[in-house]
Structure formats: C-alpha cells, structure tokens
Amino acid sequence: MSDAKPTFDIVTAGELLAEFVAERRGQRFTEAGRFLGPFPSGAPAIFASQAARMGARVAYAGCVGADGFGELIRERLIGDGIDIGAVACDPERPTGTAFVRYRDDGERDFVFNLAHSAAARLALDEAGLARLADTRYLHVMGSSLTSSAAIALIDALVERVHARGGQVSFDPNIRPELMRDPASREAVLRRVDDCDIFLPSEADIAWLGRGEGQGAVQSESEGETEADTVARLLATKRLSLLVLKRAERGSEAFRADEHQRVGAFSVTESDPTGAGDCFGGALIAALAAGDSLTRALTLASAAGAHAVTRIGPMEGASDRTTLDALIASHGDLT
C-alpha cells in the first residue's frame, strides 16, 4: 500500500435484507404467528453499522430493490455514516428478505429470499472496484457467498485489496441453509485460504475440522480436535490472526506465537441475531483505529453483548462511549 492514507478503513459487500423476527419463542413457520419488523439487516450490513458507529470510515457494496424495504435499508446505512456509493437500486427485483424464528432451546431457523431478490444482483464496474479496493481492510461474510455475482465481485475485491497492500478479514458465518450449494462451499473455502484475519465461531471451526466440502477428513468421527484445526489453519494458510468466537464464553485470539482469551459480558438477552457481526465490526474497527489486540477483543466482546440486548439485527449496534460504559461496569475480563 502507498504512503497515502486509504480512502476507507473498512469495505464490505453482500446481502442487504429486510428482516422479520418471530414475536414468540417456539413460534413455527408452519403456523400463523406474529412477526416484528421490518428491520434493516444482512450480516455484512450489521458488521458495517457497528464498525461505522465506532468511527471507522466504512463503504458498502450491495443492492436493494426500488421499494420501501430498500429505502429503509439505505436510510439506515446513511444514518450510520456508511458510504453507499456502491449500493445499487434494482427496479426489477424486490429487496431481499429474511424471516427468523427461535426454537424453545434458543436456536434459530431462517427463511431467506436471496436468490430471486435484488441482493443477488451485486455488481461493480472497474471504476467501482478500484474505488473500494482503496481500503485498509476488506471484510467478507460467508453468508454473502450465495450467488455467482456476489462470489465474482468478492473474488475481484480480494485480489485488488491484496494487490494494494490491504488485509482481508473473513467471518465464515456458516449456515446450513446457505451451504448446500457447492459453489458457495467452494467460495467459503477459498476465503479461508486467502484471508489475513479469520473470525470463526466454534461451529465454523467444527465444520472445517470435519473437512466439510474439502475432503480433508473422511468422516466426523475421524475429524480433528478444535485445537488441531486452529493449529493447522495458522500453519498452512495465509492468515496471521484467528479469533475464535465462543458466544457466552467469550473469545480466544491466536497468532503464531500468541494466545489471548477474553471473557464475555453478562447481559440479559433479547435477540441473539447480529451478535457475531457486531463482534466482528467492533474488532476490525478497533484494529483499524490502532487499538491493541487485547483492547480490540474487549471492545468486540462488549459489542457482541450489547447487540443481544436489543430486538432486531442492527438495533444493538453501539458506539465507543456505550461500549466503554459496559466495560467499566464489568471490570477486567482477561
């Protein structure tokens, strides 16, 4: 990267959705029920909102429909200070949607409309690619690797960002509903290969340890331990930092010669959707601002905790003042 300061601290691209949240835990998709929403959503949008609210210069590439849901999403991004010069408005397809329900045990099920929505029409010309490649970090979400257009655009951005000396962070965000497509699985594994910062959950690490879609392991019973998978990734991939998200048990950061653990903040949960995305947004924004890894992990843990206290995927995004207050109220988590 040249001596000139990049235009952006963080760039991300992917699905923009209107999300509807089941009002009652245990509510089923197979019966009539009440849903709250629409909420602006999309995993990379939640990430971007959190990062921008912490002061990072964030740009977004995506597509919405020429409808009320699209207007809702664009207004939220603009309100958070996100550059939406690369957010297109498609007059032919509706804005993507997601419906989420919560099982009695707290696990979630989703119904997505992505493939036939504006979210699948993600595209940038050469000028747009060059503009967004002028960034310190490109953040990629696995949930965005669901259409040929999105995969091609993100492949192109990764190549250009690396060529300019920037870094790529990757949250695989693996969901069974989206990993049934072989092209999506291959794109996820390609990002594991070429990212600089890897942000998996425990479930993501288990998926990789079983060799899903990769043939690395013959069966789950013969799979790697979690520690083996982490060690293998650090030894054989490009990545220099792996942050393992452990939800209510905090997180762990691994470098070749460093290991840190940060605990979780105790809060009352209202809606878990978006917690991991806010964690990632805070982490990358803090690193972009020059914070130490320990400080970045603590801010990220606080952001993930704050996110679950609000209903709606982006409603729990927070600024540094809010996070510092939460941190001060809990004391040292390391």
Side-chain angles (χ1 to χ4, degrees):
M1 187 175 290
S2 69
D3 293 337
K5 186 176 182 179
T7 301
F8 304 109
D9 295 315
I10 301 169
V11 165
T12 191
E15 71 277 12
L16 292 169
L17 308 172
E19 185 164 312
F20 296 83
V21 179
E23 186 176 58
R24 175 177 55 82
R25 180 163 294 205
Q27 187 171 312
R28 307 172 71 88
F29 288 136
T30 54
E31 61 188 23
R34 298 177 64 180
F35 285 79
L36 304 175
F39 294 107
S41 188
I46 303 166
F47 168 95
S49 175
Q50 177 62 54
R53 291 189 186 192
M54 289 182 63
R57 297 167 299 146
V58 181
Y60 200 102
C63 189
V64 297
D67 50 37
F69 293 162
E71 183 178 353
L72 168 77
I73 293 165
R74 287 169 62 90
E75 288 182 354
R76 173 59 64 86
L77 297 179
I78 292 170
D80 284 338
I82 297 167
D83 183 301
I84 65 165
V87 174
C89 186
D90 191 320
E92 298 178 357
R93 290 196 182 188
T95 299
T97 56
F99 290 79
V100 58
R101 80 172 190 100
Y102 301 93
R103 304 178 197 168
D104 291 328
D105 62 4
E107 292 297 311
R108 295 168 295 165
D109 292 314
F110 294 86
V111 173
F112 292 101
N113 173 25
L114 291 174
H116 304 291
S117 74
R121 292 198 169 180
L122 190 61
L124 284 177
D125 59 18
E126 284 299 318
L129 286 170
R131 178 173 179 267
L132 293 190
D134 188 18
T135 184
R136 297 184 63 195
Y137 295 91
L138 169 68
H139 184 72
V140 181
M141 306 292 300
S143 60
S144 301
L145 303 172
T146 58
S147 70
S148 58
I151 292 169
L153 181 137
I154 290 170
D155 280 348
L157 276 174
V158 168
E159 180 180 356
R160 284 162 174 77
V161 167
H162 275 154
R164 292 181 63 93
Q167 295 191 61
V168 174
S169 57
F170 179 46
D171 182 342
N173 197 22
I174 292 166
R175 297 172 182 165
E177 301 93 338
L178 303 179
M179 289 296 100
R180 296 180 185 130
D181 176 28
S184 293
R185 289 197 301 274
E186 290 171 8
V188 164
L189 294 171
R190 192 157 60 249
R191 293 291 81 84
V192 174
D193 287 340
D194 60 23
C195 71
D196 301 278
I197 300 173
F198 189 38
L199 307 175
S201 66
E202 291 174 309
D204 297 332
I205 284 289
W207 187 84
L208 288 166
R210 292 194 298 269
E212 298 273 1
Q214 196 173 16
V217 184
Q218 294 302 309
S219 70
E220 183 172 351
S221 63
E222 298 171 350
E224 300 172 316
T225 66
E226 180 180 88
D228 287 341
T229 304
V230 169
R232 172 174 60 83
L233 293 172
L234 285 168
T236 64
K237 305 298 182 183
R238 176 191 175 104
L239 65 95
S240 58
L241 172 63
L242 187 154
V243 178
L244 180 55
K245 297 176 291 184
R246 297 191 182 278
E248 69 276 1
R249 292 187 292 116
S251 63
E252 289 186 78
F254 302 87
R255 287 173 169 155
D257 57 353
E258 182 180 6
H259 173 222
Q260 293 191 42
R261 183 191 298 269
V262 171
F265 292 86
S266 178
V267 295
T268 300
E269 180 180 297
S270 295
D271 182 358
T273 301
D277 308 321
C278 285
F279 179 100
L283 180 76
I284 302 303
L287 293 175
D291 287 307
S292 69
L293 179 57
T294 300
R295 168 70 168 158
L297 289 167
T298 303
L299 285 165
S301 185
H306 185 271
V308 308
T309 65
R310 304 289 189 272
I311 295 176
M314 291 172 69
E315 308 313 302
S318 47
D319 57 22
R320 279 182 177 261
T321 300
T322 301
L323 297 181
D324 282 337
L326 180 58
I327 292 167
S329 71
H330 283 72
D332 186 14
L333 295 180
T334 57

